[in-house]
Amino acid sequence: MAGEKENDNNLASLGLTDGNFIHAFIDEDIAAGKYAGQPIFTRFPPEPNGYLHIGHAKAICLNFTTAIKYHGKCNLRYDDTNPIKEDTEFVNSIEEDVKWLGFKWDNLLYASDYFDEMFDCAMRLIQKGKAYVDDLSASEIKATRGTLTNPGTESPHRGRSIEENVRLFEEMRAGKYADGEKVLRAKIDMASPNINMRDPVLYRISHSTHHNTGDQWCIYPMYDYAHPLEDAIEQVTHSLCTLEFEDHRPLYNWVLEELEWKNAPRQIEFARLNLSNTIMSKRYLKELVDDGTVEGWDDPRMPTIAGLRRRGYTPEAIRKFCEDIGLSKSNSAVEIEFLEHCVRDDLKTKVVTRNVVFDPIKVVITNYPEGQTEDAVMENNREVPEMGEHNVPFGRELWIDGEDFMEIPAKKYFRLFPGNEVRFKGAYFLTCQEVLKDNDGKIVELHCTYDPETRSGSGFEGRKVKGTIHWVEAQTAVPITVREYGYLMVKDENDPDGREIFNPDSLVTKLCYAEPAIAQAQAEERFQFFRHGYYIADAKLTTEDEKVFNQIVGLKSSWKK
Ligand code: ATP
Ligand code: MG
């Protein structure tokens, strides 16, 4: 199992700095000599019952960067102690996603590989008089657990002898009982102020086939019992988990203390990531997939790592996001605009700009010679001059953006309208002379004239114009499909609590015209579409002949520091 990969990550190469309250706790433990001679050891422990999402990315980044910072280790461990929900499709996707985020685990492990050891530990608890077999049903256990204000009541089976408990637990394992007929419970304190400490269930019976252990077991350990053992067996020093486990920490510690574990791991909790306009619940996301509301776990609207990847997000942007949102001890929601800001910021200096026209309107330059074309020069990236320039053809017939023409201009509209002169980027000044419409009043084409004196780069100093618009030459334009995305979830106007519901307008597909260079776009290649935003050639739908682009993010940020 050991040594999956050398952990040759380092923080700087991942573009990260360090320092948070968890690291302060670790520094404290190191100063106290608590884990002397041991590497600082963390783990990412997903349950393989769905695809990972951006919330998991936060936990992944935290666990791996902590190990890197302390020159320690980090395991990827499948928390697969629940036989019925797990699937190998999910196992494979998790590995792919962690790798894609840029991290390398030290060991790839399955919690189910520890079932023997967990069983032996349970036997030791029984021998110590710290666990007993109970015949109460799940609902009886729930009913006798008490409330926040009232203590629970002890089970009539709590006083069973050690010998009887040993025998019954062996029989549970041997398959003598049906599901739910018996459980193993910790013997702690039915009056504990912490309900998790009121004789929690450690093992349950489930006659079901497990993806890793098959039919070898018909009893399965509960999460609160299994998790501390998984960590301890792997010599994890710091078990980082989300806030809802804070009340479970006494039980985590109880299990390891009763088993007299040396150098037991320390559980530290941090706040879960919540994002506005999206949802992190695996169950809800699975529903969207299963009922076909979205195209799959990797639908570009999904907050899954697979969805974000297909959408065009970069690992750099996600790591930066996870780092910059920081760690906190209280739950809150991060604005999705901040995630968008991170990817925009990352792509700004990385990708080339191309001209693409949306909602196209045809422009005919009536005084431009028929059959003539010339090259216009376009910069590849305005922010990075070293990325150079490229030529695009200019000719008599062009396409411009629907948004760049108004027959009756609004106030402060400086783009094209009848009688107005604007700069066609990289080319000439054009004036709109005439609007041609069909019988339904729909605009068919605009007749314009150009001024040959105004060629870009000619040093023309004559008139100034207020508007510059982009265009593509009609004969050479490449038709492409562009998928524009709205947020997955939007506020439900009818809900008094303002809860979010699935956004039925979250996908809008458009036919656009692109400059010729786009014909060479490869799947997963990213671009800035001038004046529109960042786009990626869809990994699944883009072919040699057909180009389908996903909108990654728009150009303008509505996010304020
Ligand atoms: P479920 O309980 O529905 O299976 P989960 O979110 O608990 O979902 P796990 O696979 O158990 O999923 O999570 C693996 C790790 O990721 C856990 O350590 C968990 O705390 C962490 N994690 C899950 N969701 C978030 C989130 N939104 N923010 C931060 N960490 C998270
Ligand atoms: Mg979980």
Side-chain angles (χ1 to χ4, degrees):
M1 280 281 166
E4 176 78 8
K5 247 171 211 162
E6 249 327 89
N7 207 336
D8 59 359
N9 293 313
N10 71 68
L11 288 182
S13 78
L14 292 164
L16 304 174
T17 55
D18 58 58
N20 56 49
F21 76 86
I22 289 181
H23 295 164
F25 283 146
I26 296 176
D27 291 339
E28 193 181 284
D29 287 342
I30 292 172
K34 199 169 159 205
Y35 297 103
Q38 276 178 261
I40 293 301
F41 214 133
T42 57
R43 84 286 172 265
F44 174 63
E47 201 181 340
N49 61 354
Y51 277 64
L52 299 181
H53 53 56
I54 182 81
H56 293 111
K58 177 176 174 175
I60 292 169
C61 289
L62 173 63
N63 279 293
F64 281 94
T65 58
T66 298
I68 294 164
K69 173 173 175 176
Y70 291 97
H71 306 289
K73 290 174 187 282
C74 183
N75 287 345
L76 173 59
R77 178 210 307 148
Y78 293 110
D79 205 337
D80 59 348
T81 53
N82 182 354
I84 47 179
K85 288 192 294 180
E86 294 148 7
D87 201 304
T88 39
E89 178 196 349
F90 301 138
V91 169
N92 296 336
S93 76
I94 288 170
E95 281 162 52
E96 188 184 348
D97 290 350
V98 174
K99 277 190 218 158
W100 181 78
L101 279 173
F103 297 109
K104 296 179 182 130
W105 49 83
D106 284 276
N107 307 288
L108 177 62
L109 302 163
Y110 290 84
S112 55
D113 285 334
Y114 314 140
F115 281 167
D116 279 306
E117 195 160 356
M118 289 173 182
F119 179 84
D120 293 343
C121 287
M123 268 301 179
R124 273 165 56 204
L125 291 177
I126 294 173
Q127 304 281 9
K128 277 184 81 176
K130 296 291 181 179
Y132 62 97
V133 172
D134 199 352
D135 302 354
L136 295 187
S137 67
S139 56
E140 286 166 327
I141 289 175
K142 202 167 168 217
T144 51
R145 207 169 44 179
T147 63
L148 284 176
T149 43
N150 292 311
T153 40
E154 294 184 355
S155 163
H157 312 290
R158 198 176 198 262
R160 275 179 170 148
S161 70
I162 290 173
E163 294 66 34
E164 192 183 4
N165 282 319
V166 168
R167 178 178 57 81
L168 292 172
F169 192 49
E170 292 280 15
E171 288 175 357
M172 279 170 65
R173 177 191 189 162
K176 189 167 174 192
Y177 304 106
D179 291 5
E181 212 177 322
K182 290 196 172 8
V183 291
L184 183 73
R185 294 180 76 174
K187 196 180 210 172
I188 310 179
D189 178 7
M190 287 307 290
S192 171
N194 183 335
I195 294 181
N196 295 309
M197 299 298 273
R198 294 181 189 168
D199 291 9
V201 174
L202 304 181
Y203 267 89
R204 70 193 191 288
I205 300 172
S206 174
H207 290 269
S208 43
T209 305
H210 186 278
H211 80 102
N212 182 26
T213 57
D215 293 321
Q216 209 186 324
W217 294 88
C218 63
I219 56 170
Y220 290 94
M222 302 300 287
Y223 180 89
D224 280 342
Y225 169 71
H227 206 81
L229 288 176
E230 293 160 24
D231 288 340
I233 290 167
E234 292 175 18
Q235 301 195 329
V236 163
T237 56
H238 295 86
S239 178
L240 314 181
C241 65
T242 39
L243 223 51
E244 68 274 21
F245 292 103
E246 193 167 21
D247 291 344
H248 299 239
R249 187 176 354 119
L251 181 52
Y252 183 102
N253 291 338
W254 181 91
V255 169
L256 296 176
E257 271 160 30
E258 290 302 338
L259 291 166
E260 292 157 52
W261 214 284
K262 294 221 168 50
N263 297 343
R266 173 177 183 181
Q267 175 180 306
I268 308 172
E269 308 85 16
F270 61 96
R272 215 166 239 280
L273 168 66
N274 294 304
L275 258 189
S276 68
N277 296 95
T278 186
I279 187 158
M280 299 293 181
S281 152
K282 267 190 225 168
R283 189 153 39 90
Y284 186 89
L285 296 174
K286 190 169 187 309
E287 261 172 48
L288 292 179
V289 173
D290 290 346
D291 66 19
T293 307
V294 296
E295 284 171 25
W297 285 99
D298 66 351
D299 185 293
R301 287 165 289 181
M302 295 278 272
T304 51
I305 309 287
L308 290 164
R309 175 167 61 227
R310 194 167 160 203
R311 178 74 176 263
Y313 272 76
T314 56
E316 291 83 354
I318 295 177
R319 289 198 302 258
K320 188 75 168 56
F321 170 76
C322 291
E323 160 124 332
D324 284 359
I325 52 175
L327 277 189
S328 133
K329 266 285 190 190
S330 59
N331 284 316
S332 63
V334 175
E335 296 296 320
I336 197 161
E337 285 84 357
F338 183 60
L339 179 62
E340 297 177 339
H341 160 81
C342 290
V343 72
R344 191 184 292 115
D345 205 49
D346 184 45
L347 295 179
K348 198 168 60 188
T349 53
K350 283 187 179 169
V351 302
V352 296
T353 302
R354 295 290 179 253
N355 295 300
V356 176
V357 161
F358 287 58
D359 307 312
I361 301 180
K362 175 73 81 63
V363 164
V364 178
I365 309 173
T366 50
N367 62 337
Y368 191 89
E370 250 172 276
Q372 178 177 313
T373 58
E374 60 189 293
D375 281 336
V377 180
M378 302 277 172
E379 64 220 326
N380 283 328
N381 186 317
R382 189 182 277 177
E383 310 245 348
V384 190
E386 304 82 69
M387 284 174 78
E389 299 170 333
H390 72 293
N391 291 340
V392 298
F394 178 85
R396 191 170 193 266
E397 298 196 359
L398 310 168
W399 293 109
I400 62 165
D401 243 59
E403 284 199 347
D404 286 338
F405 176 78
M406 278 183 103
E407 193 170 7
I408 301 160
K411 230 176 141 186
K412 294 202 175 157
Y413 187 83
F414 300 125
R415 291 173 252 172
L416 203 59
F417 54 84
N420 192 39
E421 184 175 53
V422 300
R423 182 197 309 272
F424 273 43
K425 184 184 154 62
Y428 298 94
F429 288 10
L430 271 80
T431 306
C432 177
Q433 308 291 2
E434 197 182 350
V435 183
L436 274 66
K437 296 181 181 175
D438 64 14
N439 291 338
D440 301 327
K442 197 176 162 284
I443 296 173
V444 182
E445 56 188 46
L446 306 176
H447 283 184
C448 298
T449 51
Y450 85 119
D451 179 350
E453 302 291 305
T454 59
R455 193 179 204 282
S456 172
S458 70
F460 173 74
E461 290 288 345
R463 307 179 297 280
K464 295 264 176 275
V465 286
K466 277 194 169 156
T468 299
I469 65 176
H470 72 287
W471 47 272
V472 299
E473 194 277 321
Q475 304 300 316
T476 51
V478 181
I480 61 171
T481 303
V482 174
R483 310 207 299 174
E484 302 261 272
Y485 296 105
Y487 294 128
L488 181 70
M489 308 290 291
V490 285
K491 277 218 167 64
D492 179 0
E493 300 301 336
N494 300 317
D495 185 306
D497 299 325
R499 272 179 291 233
E500 292 181 343
I501 47 167
F502 176 75
N503 174 11
D505 303 320
S506 48
L507 168 62
V508 177
T509 300
K510 290 187 169 173
L511 261 171
C512 301
Y513 287 120
E515 63 171 78
I518 287 295
Q520 267 75 56
Q522 299 297 307
E524 298 194 290
E525 202 176 344
R526 297 179 182 85
F527 299 91
Q528 185 192 121
F529 289 171
F530 187 59
R531 298 173 65 219
H532 282 284
Y534 294 95
Y535 292 81
I536 185 170
D538 186 82
K540 286 185 166 167
L541 304 173
T542 299
T543 63
E544 222 25 68
D545 302 324
E546 213 197 326
K547 308 295 170 191
V548 180
F549 286 88
N550 295 316
Q551 177 199 42
I552 306 170
V553 68
L555 283 182
K556 281 208 195 74
S557 174
S558 53
W559 175 77
K560 305 254 180 313
K561 253 186 211 201

